[in-house]
Amino acid sequence: MKIIPKTYNEIIRLKQCYSLTDYFKDITEEMFQEIYDFLGQNQGNSIIATTEMLSLIDQSGNIVKTYPVTKANDDFDSLQITHNAISILPHYTSSYSNTYDGTSSNNNNNNNNNNNNS
Amino acid sequence: MTKFIHLLYVPTMNCNMQCKYCYLKENTTDLKQDDMYLKTLKYAVAKFKQADIVPFNISLHGGEVTTLSQKDFHDLIEYIYNYYQTNKDIITQNGFKLGTPHIKTNLLNIQKHLDTIKKFNVSISGSLDLPLSMHDKYRLTKGGGKTLKTILDNIKLLETIPNKKKVSATIFQEHFQKIDEIIKDIKYLDQNTCLDMNDFNFMIGFKTKDSPLTPLTEKNQVKFYQKMRKAFLNTNLDYGVRYKWFAEFTPAYCTNCDNCGEKFFLLERNGDIYSCVRGQKNKAFYYGNIYKDSVQTIMNNAKTKIYQIHNQLGFNRECASCQYLYLCKTGCPYVKKLYHQNKSYTCALQKQIYKDNEEYPKDINNDEDVYLYLNKNHPELAPTYYPKNQSQNSDIPSLETIINQDKKLKDIYSSDIFLLQIDDKTYKLQSQILKKQRDIVYITDKSKITLYIKKGVLENTDYPVNNSLYIMLLSGQLVVYGDEQRPKQRHIMTHQIYKDIVTKHQSDKPNYYQINITNLLKMYQDDYSKDKPNNLFFTTNALRDYHYLKQKNNAYYHIHAMNLPFQNIEFYYIKEDQS
């Protein structure tokens, strides 16, 4: 990594970006740099990540970019990086097995044109 | 791990009709003939297979597939038939039903392909307008000619083959106004054609650009559904009206996915991949091109695009309490985006269907399911919905129950007695073991750190003058401690500030005492862990004593509060020389 932090804020941002590598297997150098730069552009910018998606969120709450990611451990459900802080939501273990989690196998009838399958 | 997808294949955009409300508009002309009809499907299936992705269903859609030449149609159907035979084991062993080749068709030109349809047991799904009197108004040929008679004649031709054949109809306000005619025509089709009207489908139309038709209001959607039930329950079409006609809103369909971009795809002959028929030719639902992009890129685009759409439309708080979120998952992302709305456009109808169907009871695990859904699509909201109690079936009372029964414990766990201000940001400190979320802050050797303690907390004891603010500082490094040989965070220091010292300082918050702890934390700057978050706890001497007394007296409490229960914040400490 070619980033040499010069200010406290830069050190904090760099540490925040490194901490992402504790949670995700596939943070590339390119992603790392982009996240580092993005957080530095505005103090209101943030990162929100689930165990599958990592999004760059601007100060207005809009998603600027989303990366699919792969979790590196099972300890968390999501995390958020904001100016000077990281919040981590610990993994919640469901008390039952949800049988309706995307079990669908039919494409919807669509549009005002139909597509009902057998 | 093998991933399974549902693949709609559009071999041609060409259509021999020009229905007035067709979503594809001018895109249904495809005069260019080439040899890609089969090649693209074969290429895509092979490329998916290389990436360990298996279509469990391949259905043909249009344009209009019956406009293909007899040879092209035959070769495509034969390929799909053989695909199912070759992949029978992997599809069925993974819980999917093995299909037969399936086509979606307007039925206008189907007679041309009857031999192929018979030979490969092709299942047919046709489209009609109901009432039939409206069919000739909206479903016309490109030259404006009527189509109903030909289509009914073609349905007659299907009588001779045993294949599965069904139709569906889309309902707008204009159709709804003729509901009695619709009922009559359903009975007519049931009695006079080979169509299995118990396997019929209604779709609820939604507004599209330039459509001449008006979508049903939510109220009329429910009225329509109820009138259908009234007309057909306890008839020979009881099964249909109960389970099939409105099946689009049940978990068997794509809208039950948390993220349909993980499972449903539409492939065009030129290699373009979209979400589905609704998203076809729409940039927001374009996932890539099978010839130009890697499968990984297409899959990533699919799930991130659908995630972003759901996320950016927000979450309707009503969905958290309706107890059917586990079934509806807030509806189709395409229509939600079209309507700029954060819940299903058929919400009221769906609720009514679920209510009428014992297969779909209200969710007894609603809290968990809401959280799981939000965690996947709205992680920014998930902490608010983090389920309260994981051990509902346990005989041991929850910590919350124990706290609620003991006034003194309430202070130990209160979330408003300690505030920590780091430079210009104030954190409301919560009990380490009650909080849902870990907050880790970055403190620098230039930070100003102020603790606020609520007035009355230090005084709430028999001898307040002996009471003190009790601060514990722990390193992120672990050490093995004590008789139980348990790894715990290494203690750095414990610091007590007696009540009369705390209360003498001027405070800028009226209900709180204030104390500057900047130098206290700086004193131990060389002892903090650089790699793991350090931990700072606050309580009072009296509350700490009570916590240990309670542990001694109540085993259930001890089980829950093995770790320090006090209000805390985790932190990294940044020194100037780290730059």
Side-chain angles (χ1 to χ4, degrees):
Chain A
M1 211 49 59
K2 288 172 193 153
I3 301 166
I4 300 165
K6 293 189 181 67
T7 64
Y8 283 111
N9 278 341
E10 287 173 2
I11 300 170
I12 290 170
R13 259 193 290 141
L14 192 60
K15 279 183 85 76
Q16 288 178 318
C17 291
Y18 273 118
S19 66
L20 282 176
T21 61
D22 291 339
Y23 294 93
F24 301 105
K25 290 177 187 168
D26 39 13
I27 304 289
T28 61
E29 284 202 18
E30 193 187 326
M31 276 169 77
F32 191 108
Q33 184 75 50
E34 189 174 1
I35 293 167
Y36 178 82
D37 293 341
F38 177 74
L39 288 171
Q41 281 161 18
N42 189 304
Q43 285 201 1
N45 288 355
S46 64
I47 304 296
I48 292 186
T50 67
T51 53
E52 296 177 339
M53 305 275 185
L54 183 149
S55 297
L56 282 59
I57 314 286
D58 70 16
Q59 67 277 17
S60 311
N62 298 315
I63 294 179
V64 174
K65 190 166 190 174
T66 300
Y67 288 104
V69 282
T70 312
K71 65 180 175 177
N73 65 64
D74 291 327
D75 298 342
F76 73 107
D77 280 348
S78 66
L79 64 83
Q80 182 173 22
I81 296 181
T82 53
H83 178 64
N84 285 4
I86 298 188
S87 302
I88 296 146
L89 199 58
H91 177 58
Y92 179 78
T93 308
S94 181
S95 63
Y96 77 106
S97 162
N98 182 348
T99 52
Y100 285 113
D101 190 16
T103 53
S104 50
S105 56
N106 287 320
N107 186 258
N108 221 337
N109 298 329
N110 275 305
N111 187 323
N112 305 326
N113 189 346
N114 314 328
N115 176 39
N116 34 346
N117 294 323
S118 54
Chain B
M1 201 171 108
T2 305
K3 188 178 165 72
F4 292 87
I5 62 168
H6 184 288
L7 187 63
L8 276 181
Y9 180 49
V10 177
T12 176
M13 293 302 293
N14 198 31
C15 185
N16 45 8
M17 284 171 62
Q18 186 73 66
C19 302
K20 287 201 175 168
Y21 48 76
C22 177
Y23 64 101
L24 285 170
K25 308 278 173 212
E26 66 283 358
N27 289 308
T28 60
T29 309
D30 184 10
L31 299 176
K32 201 179 93 190
Q33 301 283 312
D34 58 29
D35 60 352
M36 301 305 285
Y37 302 109
L38 179 55
K39 275 186 183 169
T40 296
L41 180 59
K42 268 185 168 174
Y43 178 85
V45 168
K47 196 165 171 176
F48 279 131
K49 197 173 180 186
Q50 267 183 349
D52 204 13
I53 294 171
V54 174
F56 63 86
N57 182 302
I58 301 174
S59 295
L60 296 182
H61 207 282
E64 173 54 42
V65 289
T66 60
T67 60
L68 293 177
S69 71
Q70 283 177 319
K71 183 180 182 316
D72 287 327
F73 184 83
H74 172 275
D75 292 351
L76 257 178
I77 294 293
E78 183 180 47
Y79 170 76
I80 295 169
Y81 180 87
N82 290 334
Y83 171 85
Y84 283 134
Q85 297 313 308
T86 311
N87 293 282
K88 186 179 173 180
D89 289 346
I90 190 167
I91 290 172
T92 54
Q93 281 163 12
N94 283 280
F96 298 100
K97 201 175 137 193
L98 191 71
T100 58
H102 179 82
I103 61 166
K104 179 73 198 168
T105 172
N106 60 25
L107 297 165
L108 188 68
N109 210 11
I110 199 151
Q111 76 286 357
K112 187 171 122 189
H113 301 293
L114 274 185
D115 289 343
T116 298
I117 287 169
K118 263 189 215 173
K119 185 175 169 189
F120 295 105
N121 190 23
V122 176
S123 72
I124 297 160
S125 177
S127 310
L128 287 174
D129 254 45
L130 288 179
L132 293 171
S133 63
M134 292 181 84
H135 188 101
D136 275 340
K137 192 172 171 192
Y138 296 120
R139 302 184 76 87
L140 307 172
T141 64
K142 281 217 159 53
K146 295 181 175 182
T147 60
L148 181 62
K149 189 180 175 306
T150 312
I151 286 171
L152 290 177
D153 287 347
N154 283 344
I155 290 172
K156 222 172 175 40
L157 290 177
L158 297 176
E159 276 174 15
T160 58
I161 59 168
N163 309 32
K164 208 167 176 182
K165 47 240 174 198
K166 62 185 278 191
V167 287
S168 55
T170 306
I171 301 300
F172 285 90
Q173 181 64 24
E174 288 77 0
H175 303 92
F176 173 66
Q177 280 162 356
K178 299 190 173 187
I179 192 161
D180 292 335
E181 258 189 77
I182 294 178
I183 292 168
K184 209 177 85 199
D185 288 345
I186 289 174
K187 287 177 183 167
Y188 170 82
L189 290 170
D190 180 51
Q191 285 156 17
N192 298 288
T193 70
C194 61
L195 296 171
D196 178 2
M197 292 308 283
N198 265 312
D199 196 17
F200 169 75
N201 270 114
F202 278 121
M203 282 145 297
I204 304 296
F206 50 85
K207 189 153 186 62
T208 54
K209 206 179 152 209
D210 304 329
S211 168
L213 296 171
T214 317
L216 286 177
T217 60
E218 281 207 55
K219 206 173 158 188
N220 282 345
Q221 290 172 15
V222 177
K223 262 191 184 171
F224 177 77
Y225 162 77
Q226 284 172 330
K227 279 208 164 188
M228 284 298 145
R229 280 174 67 88
K230 200 175 167 195
F232 291 100
L233 282 178
N234 302 315
T235 69
N236 66 319
L237 295 177
D238 179 283
Y239 180 80
V241 74
R242 217 182 268 276
Y243 302 113
K244 289 287 190 174
W245 295 4
F246 297 91
E248 178 178 344
F249 311 103
T250 68
Y253 276 77
C254 52
T255 48
N256 178 247
C257 285
D258 287 329
N259 183 328
C260 59
E262 292 174 346
K263 199 190 258 183
F264 292 89
F265 299 86
L266 178 144
L267 168 71
E268 289 187 351
R269 178 168 111 243
N270 65 5
D272 283 348
I273 294 187
Y274 292 91
S275 58
C276 59
V277 192
R278 289 181 179 181
Q280 201 178 353
K281 300 294 179 200
N282 186 313
K283 205 178 156 194
F285 294 85
Y286 173 69
Y287 299 158
N289 184 290
I290 196 71
Y291 289 113
K292 295 174 193 158
D293 298 306
S294 70
V295 169
Q296 192 59 49
T297 301
I298 292 165
M299 292 291 153
N300 286 348
N301 284 343
K303 71 176 183 181
T304 53
K305 282 192 172 199
I306 297 299
Y307 167 79
Q308 287 180 343
I309 288 164
H310 280 301
N311 183 280
Q312 294 290 270
L313 288 165
F315 179 68
N316 192 313
R317 310 255 159 185
E318 285 171 22
C319 300
S321 55
C322 109
Q323 291 188 267
Y324 290 125
L325 181 66
Y326 81 115
L327 298 171
C328 93
K329 309 283 174 124
T330 76
C332 166
Y334 178 85
V335 190
K336 280 170 71 183
K337 187 172 189 300
L338 183 74
Y339 281 10
H340 302 289
Q341 136 176 332
N342 55 16
K343 61 178 191 171
S344 172
Y345 75 112
T346 51
C347 174
L349 172 62
Q350 285 175 262
K351 278 184 190 167
Q352 191 58 50
I353 292 169
Y354 303 147
K355 214 171 144 186
D356 290 339
N357 193 329
E358 62 199 19
E359 253 187 277
Y360 308 123
K362 285 201 168 196
D363 189 1
I364 52 166
N365 300 301
N366 191 57
D367 286 355
E368 288 190 353
D369 285 331
V370 168
Y371 170 73
L372 294 173
Y373 172 81
L374 289 174
N375 190 54
K376 193 141 188 189
N377 290 308
H378 300 276
E380 71 286 359
L381 299 175
T384 316
Y385 290 88
Y386 201 84
K388 274 186 191 152
N389 186 3
Q390 271 185 269
S391 54
Q392 282 168 351
N393 299 322
S394 168
D395 293 335
I396 300 175
S398 70
L399 180 57
E400 286 84 352
T401 308
I402 298 171
I403 294 168
N404 284 332
Q405 289 165 350
D406 186 327
K407 235 177 172 183
K408 273 196 176 173
L409 276 186
K410 280 184 186 165
D411 265 350
I412 296 179
Y413 291 92
S414 166
S415 60
D416 72 345
I417 61 172
F418 291 109
L419 309 176
L420 189 72
Q421 185 166 327
I422 301 169
D423 298 319
D424 53 357
K425 185 148 189 204
T426 305
Y427 297 88
K428 218 171 168 180
L429 302 188
Q430 292 176 286
S431 155
Q432 176 186 237
I433 56 177
L434 279 189
K435 67 170 68 165
K436 296 164 181 171
Q437 183 170 290
R438 286 175 66 196
D439 290 318
I440 303 166
V441 297
Y442 293 82
I443 295 172
T444 74
D445 54 12
K446 294 281 185 291
S447 299
K448 187 184 170 200
I449 305 148
T450 307
L451 177 74
Y452 295 89
I453 174 167
K454 199 171 186 181
K455 287 178 181 172
V457 175
L458 281 165
E459 292 85 348
N460 188 18
T461 178
D462 291 342
Y463 304 103
V465 76
N466 284 346
N467 200 6
S468 60
L469 168 65
Y470 200 100
I471 305 172
M472 285 160 280
L473 189 54
L474 282 70
S475 160
Q477 297 305 324
L478 298 181
V479 284
V480 176
Y481 263 83
D483 195 43
E484 76 257 63
Q485 290 291 291
R486 187 158 62 112
K488 297 179 182 178
Q489 290 188 308
R490 183 164 62 89
H491 282 263
I492 296 176
M493 68 90 179
T494 298
H495 190 89
Q496 286 174 268
I497 309 172
Y498 279 83
K499 184 235 159 203
D500 286 350
I501 306 301
V502 174
T503 57
K504 78 175 185 188
H505 296 283
Q506 192 77 17
S507 175
D508 53 25
K509 292 190 196 298
N511 297 319
Y512 288 83
Y513 301 120
Q514 168 178 340
I515 192 142
N516 186 326
I517 58 167
T518 308
N519 289 333
L520 182 66
L521 293 184
K522 195 179 272 184
M523 202 187 299
Y524 298 94
Q525 58 180 305
D526 294 330
D527 299 302
Y528 299 131
S529 167
K530 291 190 178 85
D531 313 322
K532 304 281 177 202
N534 302 283
N535 216 338
L536 181 60
F537 289 89
F538 301 96
T539 187
T540 69
N541 196 35
L543 291 175
R544 182 174 174 274
D545 286 349
Y546 190 73
H547 159 67
Y548 287 113
L549 181 68
K550 187 81 181 179
Q551 268 194 348
K552 206 174 146 190
N553 293 340
N554 186 324
Y556 295 150
Y557 177 72
H558 201 151
I559 289 167
H560 287 300
M562 278 203 313
N563 290 321
L564 289 176
F566 310 116
Q567 293 81 348
N568 79 316
I569 195 148
E570 294 179 80
F571 68 97
Y572 288 105
Y573 198 88
I574 313 287
K575 292 192 290 180
E576 195 173 18
D577 59 12
Q578 277 181 255
S579 63

